[in-house]
């Protein structure tokens, strides 16, 4: 009952002399400190809100404008052209003020209006500048005079020391592509996948759509683009993620891995303590908007909107659709260990718990031998199964009593942590260690991750880490930004003692973790077991292979004067053709965060140029020079398509939104129906490293992460995530399904490795470290 003692601020007894109050100084001190901390946080948020609200100007610039206007007034010059006199006449309190005071007040009001107008003008100019994308299409390392002038102007109008959300109001809106451009690019993308007769039929259907109803649908879409901040993002979140009724485990959620070669400590509780404390540090800066905005070329800002929901966020199930619940504040976390759920407070006396204090709390949970309550062991399997049974069970069995209290505690937690009772990680001495590590992160035991949380932090008993992330609220780069911060802070700022414990002293008076209580009837336990069986079937079908490709990396690829991403995508086309003997519709995710609230676009990597190169590679009669020339054409085409996708000229989000409009209007479109039903048998994504300055890989070559991955998208296809680590390493995460006789993840990994080597051989580069 230690927590009960901590919760009581004072006691009182009734005596013959009256009521005797016995105040607890320690608790009153904590109340005072907590209040001061809360007000300080509000003040900092308010201050940073003002700084963001007036950006790219500054609050001090208001004073400069006021002084300038007042100076001209004293010089008997009226810069307002009579507007100050007009303001003076309309002042509601002019009868109570002297003439001089009226003049000063009117001048200040005019100066304030002028200042606000200048801010809007500056923002508009910056938005126009950020709408220029010519720099993306220029050859690497070469910058035109126009782009140099543009870059200097962006720097000039960007101000100094922007905060996380400073650029939000200046980011351009995502443009709606023209119908003609989208259809033309679509037909070009499917040409290598269709024979002549099939292509003519598709061309006919597309042209019919172009005539009617495309113009009508386009008008509604343009209207939405004028009204909404982003014409794609809200529908993408709702219809692609939240309205899906299938399990999100494996099918939607993704994972991220720990450092490959380094384990800072093998003490499970200590590693979790340091990383959770680093998360609290990150969250505090996030709440205050103090993170530096991510910028391409250190110039062009990326939208920071998705970062708002990293913490305190849960996907809530519904019968027809889910919704994302995000809280402004949450002061506790939930920890899962061996079938039990524990609530851990993250604050004490108005401050974050220190790493050593968090380690102590987590160690208490590890030492707790309490058995799970009936039905508690697999209750998280509800989040792994189909959405409708979970929504029904939530409304029926978790809407009142201790079940509601415990579920609210989980869903309103800032962080969800699993203290896993298994050991995982990459071990060069153990076959398939990376494969098993990935499968554990992707689905675990199907009941030891809360798949609805924005992310589940996973700490293994050998000190390794990982995370499983829900996809609807944000895309992988957002978790990647957090993850890189955590790993660098853990290793280079917080550190550990020689015994592997967290540094610092602990407060022995902390309330211990409290175990959540459940009263789960047999009927609900049956639903839980059913969800578990469905999830287990999905998990057992995942065939996974992790490939550490260290023959060469992006350093050598750049010496080939080509994009590392284009090189890898073309290698994937070659590997897939060798694996299956055919080409397929290929999905590569590209970000659109140069636009406000932008998320992703699709790059259709299977092109006429890439298929021509692949066929040449398989033709023994073609010379190396011919193959190299075809490769360069394919790489240039891929880079062009990637750049078009980044700049809002992709086709798939446009077609998706046209389809949504057609459904709202009750219009049946055979073209859109066919486009949206085409399977992506090769789904790929590059996991970008965004903050390499946090870890000097040249100085600390072992402090590298393998990135992350995701499950297969098609039943008979592959999911491939790849990560360029430093200059000389590429990691591949390959997934497929055992149930498909056409796929084998290990085989595909070997094909990728050979394809990479075969393409490299075309350039006659001998030294892998060049």
């Amino acid at each position: 009952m230690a927590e009960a003692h901590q919760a009581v601020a004072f006691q009182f007894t009734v005596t013959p002399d009256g009521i005797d109050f016995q105040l607890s100084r320690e608790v009153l001190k904590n109340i005072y400190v907590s209040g001061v901390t809360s007000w300080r946080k509000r003040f900092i948020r308010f201050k940073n809100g003002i700084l963001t609200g007036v950006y790219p100007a500054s609050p001090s610039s208001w004073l400069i404008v006021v002084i300038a206007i007042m100076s001209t007034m004293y010089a008997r010059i009226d810069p307002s052209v009579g507007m100050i006199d007009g303001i003076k006449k309309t002042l509601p309190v002019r009868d109570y003020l002297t003439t001089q005071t009226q003049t000063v007040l009117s001048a200040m009001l005019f100066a304030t209006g002028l200042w606000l107008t200048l801010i809007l003008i500056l923002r508009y100019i910056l938005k126009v500048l950020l709408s220029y994308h010519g720099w993306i299409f220029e050859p690497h390392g070469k910058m035109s005079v126009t782009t140099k002038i543009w870059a200097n102007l962006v720097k000039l109008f960007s101000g100094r020391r922007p905060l996380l959300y400073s650029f939000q109001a200046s980011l351009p809106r995502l443009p709606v592509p023209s119908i003609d451009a989208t259809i033309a690019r679509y037909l070009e993308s499917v040409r290598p996948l269709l024979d002549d007769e099939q292509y003519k039929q598709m061309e006919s259907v597309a042209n019919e759509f172009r005539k009617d109803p495309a113009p009508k649908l386009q008008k509604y879409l343009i209207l939405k683009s004028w009204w909404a901040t982003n014409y794609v993002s809200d529908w993408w979140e709702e219809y692609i993620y939240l309205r899906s009724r299938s399990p999100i485990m494996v099918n939607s959620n993704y994972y991220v891995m720990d450092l490959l070669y380094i384990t800072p400590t093998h003490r499970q509780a200590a590693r979790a303590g340091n990383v959770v404390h680093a998360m609290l540090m990150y969250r505090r800066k996030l709440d205050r908007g103090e993170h530096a905005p991510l910028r391409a070329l250190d110039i062009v800002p990326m939208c920071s909107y998705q970062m708002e929901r990293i913490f305190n966020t849960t996907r809530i199930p519904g019968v027809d659709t889910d919704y994302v619940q995000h809280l402004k504040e949450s002061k506790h976390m939930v920890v899962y260990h061996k079938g039990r759920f524990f609530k851990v407070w993250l604050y004490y006396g108005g401050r974050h718990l220190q790493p050593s204090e968090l380690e102590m709390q987590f160690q208490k949970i590890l030492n707790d031998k309490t058995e799970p309550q009936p039905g508690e062991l697999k209750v998280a399997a509800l989040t792994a199964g189909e959405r409708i049974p979970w929504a029904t069970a939530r409304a029926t069995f978790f809407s009142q009593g201790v079940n509601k209290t415990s579920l609210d505690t989980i869903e309103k937690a800032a962080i969800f942590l699993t203290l896993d009772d298994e050991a995982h990680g990459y071990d060069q001495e153990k076959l398939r260690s990376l494969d098993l590590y990935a499968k554990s992160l992707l689905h675990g035991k199907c009941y030891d991750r809360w798949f609805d949380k924005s992310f589940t932090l996973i700490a293994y008993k050998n000190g390794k880490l990982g995370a499983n992330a829900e996809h609807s609220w944000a895309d992988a780069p957002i978790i990647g930004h957090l993850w890189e911060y955590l790993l660098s802070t853990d290793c280079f700022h917080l550190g550990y003692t020689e015994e592997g414990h967290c540094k610092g002293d602990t407060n022995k008076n902390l309330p211990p973790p409290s175990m959540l209580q459940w009263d789960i009837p047999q009927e609900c336990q049956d639903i839980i077991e059913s969800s578990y069986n469905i999830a287990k079937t999905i998990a057992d079908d995942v065939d996974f292979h992790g490939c550490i490709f260290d023959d060469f990396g992006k350093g050598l690829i750049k010496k080939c004067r080509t994009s590392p991403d284009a090189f890898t995508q073309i290698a994937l086309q070659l590997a897939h053709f060798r694996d299956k003997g055919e080409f397929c519709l290929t999905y590569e995710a590209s970000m659109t965060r140069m636009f406000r609230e932008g998320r992703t676009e699709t790059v259709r990597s299977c092109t006429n140029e890439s298929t021509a190169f692949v066929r040449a590679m398989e033709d023994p009669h073609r010379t190396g020079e011919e193959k190299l020339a075809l490769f360069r054409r394919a790489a240039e085409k891929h880079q062009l398509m990637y750049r078009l996708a980044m700049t809002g000229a992709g086709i798939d989000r446009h077609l998706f939104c046209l389809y949504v409009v057609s459904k709202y209007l009750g219009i049946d479109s055979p073209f859109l129906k066919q486009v949206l039903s085409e399977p992506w048998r090769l789904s790929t994504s590059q996991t970008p490293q965004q903050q390499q300055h946090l870890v000097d890989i040249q100085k600390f070559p072992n402090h590298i992460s393998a990135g992350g991955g995701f499950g297969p998208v098609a039943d008979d296809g592959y999911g491939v995530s790849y990560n360029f680590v430093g200059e000389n390493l590429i990691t591949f995460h390959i997934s497929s399904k055992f149930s498909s006789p056409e796929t084998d993840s290990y085989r595909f990994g070997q094909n990728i490795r050979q394809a990479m080597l075969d393409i490299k051989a075309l350039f006659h580069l001998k030294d892998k470290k060049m």
Side-chain angles (χ1 to χ4, degrees), residues 177-187 649-652 654-655 658:
S178 70
I179 291 291
D180 289 343
T182 293
I183 291 179
R185 288 178 186 147
Y186 170 78
L187 291 174
I651 64 173
D652 283 279
H654 185 204
L655 291 170
L658 290 171

Side-chain angles (χ1 to χ4, degrees), residues 241-474:
Y241 294 115
L242 299 179
R243 281 186 180 261
S244 172
R245 302 295 82 200
S246 60
I248 62 175
M249 183 201 77
V250 174
N251 296 324
S252 179
N253 286 29
Y254 56 94
Y255 67 85
V256 61
M257 286 184 167
D258 195 4
L259 299 171
L260 265 182
Y261 306 120
I262 294 293
T263 306
T265 178
H266 291 285
R267 295 184 183 274
Q268 184 178 17
R271 189 79 197 283
N274 254 15
V275 173
V276 169
H277 182 76
M279 282 185 175
L280 298 178
M281 294 168 59
Y282 185 95
R283 187 178 72 152
R284 179 170 56 192
K285 293 184 70 176
L286 185 64
D287 288 344
R288 298 173 176 179
E290 293 176 344
H291 288 288
L294 186 66
R295 291 197 269 187
L297 302 179
D298 290 327
I299 299 174
V300 183
M302 302 289 107
C303 179
S304 301
Y305 168 74
Q306 296 179 55
M307 297 180 70
E308 294 179 0
R309 299 189 287 182
I310 293 179
F311 300 99
N312 327 327
T313 299
T314 306
R315 177 172 173 162
I316 306 298
V319 174
D320 297 319
T321 183
D322 298 349
Y323 69 92
V324 177
Q325 171 186 278
H326 172 68
L327 306 178
K328 285 287 186 182
E329 184 67 81
S330 178
K331 296 186 177 181
H332 72 276
M333 66 179 296
V334 170
V335 181
Y336 176 93
H337 177 59
K338 289 188 175 181
R340 295 88 40 82
F341 296 84
F342 295 85
K343 180 178 182 179
V344 177
W345 290 104
L346 297 171
Y347 291 83
Y348 183 80
R351 62 167 177 83
H352 290 147
L353 263 61
Q354 297 301 311
S356 56
E357 295 170 331
L358 288 164
E359 178 188 358
M360 180 181 69
Q361 299 290 65
F362 299 151
Q363 193 59 52
K364 288 179 181 178
I365 293 173
L366 291 171
N367 295 338
D368 192 311
K369 305 301 181 185
T370 308
E371 290 295 319
Q373 299 155 77
E376 182 182 15
L377 175 65
K378 298 180 181 178
V379 69
L382 289 168
T383 68
E386 294 178 347
R387 305 304 290 174
I388 293 177
W390 171 207
T392 304
R394 186 178 185 277
T396 306
F397 303 107
F398 296 90
S399 59
Q400 57 187 353
V402 294
N403 290 343
K404 176 175 173 51
T405 301
S406 295
L407 184 62
D408 281 349
T409 301
I410 293 172
E411 292 180 340
K412 294 179 179 179
I415 302 165
F416 189 94
L417 166 67
T418 291
L419 295 173
D420 207 296
D421 56 354
E422 294 182 350
H424 280 290
Y426 176 60
D427 187 340
Q428 294 171 294
E429 304 298 323
K430 292 183 179 179
L431 188 66
R432 295 200 67 218
S433 62
L434 197 62
D435 306 0
L436 296 174
Y437 181 25
K439 280 180 65 68
S440 176
L441 292 172
L442 187 62
H443 53 67
K445 298 175 182 175
C446 304
Y447 58 79
D448 52 356
R449 289 91 172 92
W450 199 271
F451 294 100
D452 283 353
K453 291 299 289 183
S454 54
F455 66 91
T456 296
L457 176 65
I458 303 158
Y460 293 102
K461 69 177 184 180
N462 60 344
K464 279 294 183 183
L465 290 177
N468 180 288
E470 201 275 314
H471 212 324
S472 66
W473 63 275

Side-chain angles (χ1 to χ4, degrees), residues 42 154 232 500 529 532 667 677 691 711:
R42 292 180 188 179
V154 171
V232 175
E529 191 64 26
Y532 167 72
I667 296 174
S677 64
Q691 307 176 95

Side-chain angles (χ1 to χ4, degrees), residues 547-722:
C547 178
I548 305 297
F549 183 85
D550 57 2
D551 293 87
F552 60 89
K554 69 178 182 181
L556 183 139
I557 295 174
K558 286 186 288 188
K559 289 186 179 295
C560 299
R561 291 180 297 157
T562 190
S563 156
D565 183 70
F567 187 103
T568 307
Q569 283 290 328
I570 295 169
L572 290 174
Q573 291 298 314
L574 178 57
H576 187 274
F577 188 80
R578 289 172 173 175
D579 187 83
K580 287 192 173 183
E582 63 181 8
F583 299 105
C584 71
L585 197 61
T586 305
Y587 182 110
E588 182 190 3
S590 164
M591 67 89 182
T592 57
R593 288 175 61 204
M594 289 190 296
F595 301 97
R596 191 167 182 181
E597 295 186 18
R599 291 196 61 161
T600 61
E601 179 56 272
T602 304
V603 180
R604 295 181 168 228
S605 302
C606 183
T607 63
N608 289 315
E609 291 78 3
S610 66
T611 56
F613 166 73
V614 169
R615 294 189 189 281
M617 285 293 287
E618 299 302 277
D619 184 351
H621 302 293
R622 303 296 289 270
T623 65
E625 289 75 11
E626 290 177 315
K627 294 174 182 178
L628 183 57
L630 288 170
F631 171 81
R632 290 202 181 282
R633 286 183 58 193
E636 289 172 4
K637 178 65 175 182
H638 182 269
Q639 286 180 270
L640 174 62
M641 293 177 61
Y642 199 95
R643 290 162 176 168
L644 288 170
M646 287 181 63
T647 54
I651 64 173
D652 283 279
R653 300 301 177 269
H654 185 204
L655 291 170
F656 160 75
C657 288
L658 290 171
Y659 180 76
V660 173
V661 174
S662 74
K663 286 305 193 182
Y664 276 125
L665 297 178
I667 296 174
D668 185 51
S669 169
F671 172 72
L672 290 175
K673 190 179 296 183
Q674 183 168 346
V675 169
L676 271 294
S677 64
E678 292 169 343
W680 301 96
R681 291 192 171 87
L682 182 55
S683 183
T684 70
S685 177
Q686 179 192 160
T687 307
Q689 285 194 331
Q690 305 165 94
Q691 307 176 95
Q692 294 187 25
H693 62 278
L694 293 178
V695 181
D696 187 342
I697 296 179
Q698 297 296 326
K699 190 175 180 180
F700 302 100
N702 289 331
H703 287 73
I704 56 177
S705 169
F710 53 91
V713 174
D715 291 339
D716 56 351
Y718 291 107
V720 181
S721 174
Y722 53 95

Side-chain angles (χ1 to χ4, degrees), residues 543-547 718-721 732-736 745 748-749 752:
D543 177 18
F544 204 93
H545 176 58
C547 178
Y718 291 107
V720 181
S721 174
F732 291 91
H733 304 254
I734 306 161
S735 63
S736 60
S745 292
F748 192 47
I752 292 173

Side-chain angles (χ1 to χ4, degrees), residues 144-165:
S144 66
V145 175
T146 301
T147 299
K148 287 179 181 178
I149 295 172
W150 163 83
N152 288 321
L153 286 173
V154 171
K155 290 178 182 178
L156 177 65
F157 285 97
S158 290
R160 297 175 57 193
R161 297 181 181 178
L163 297 173
L164 181 62
Y165 302 114

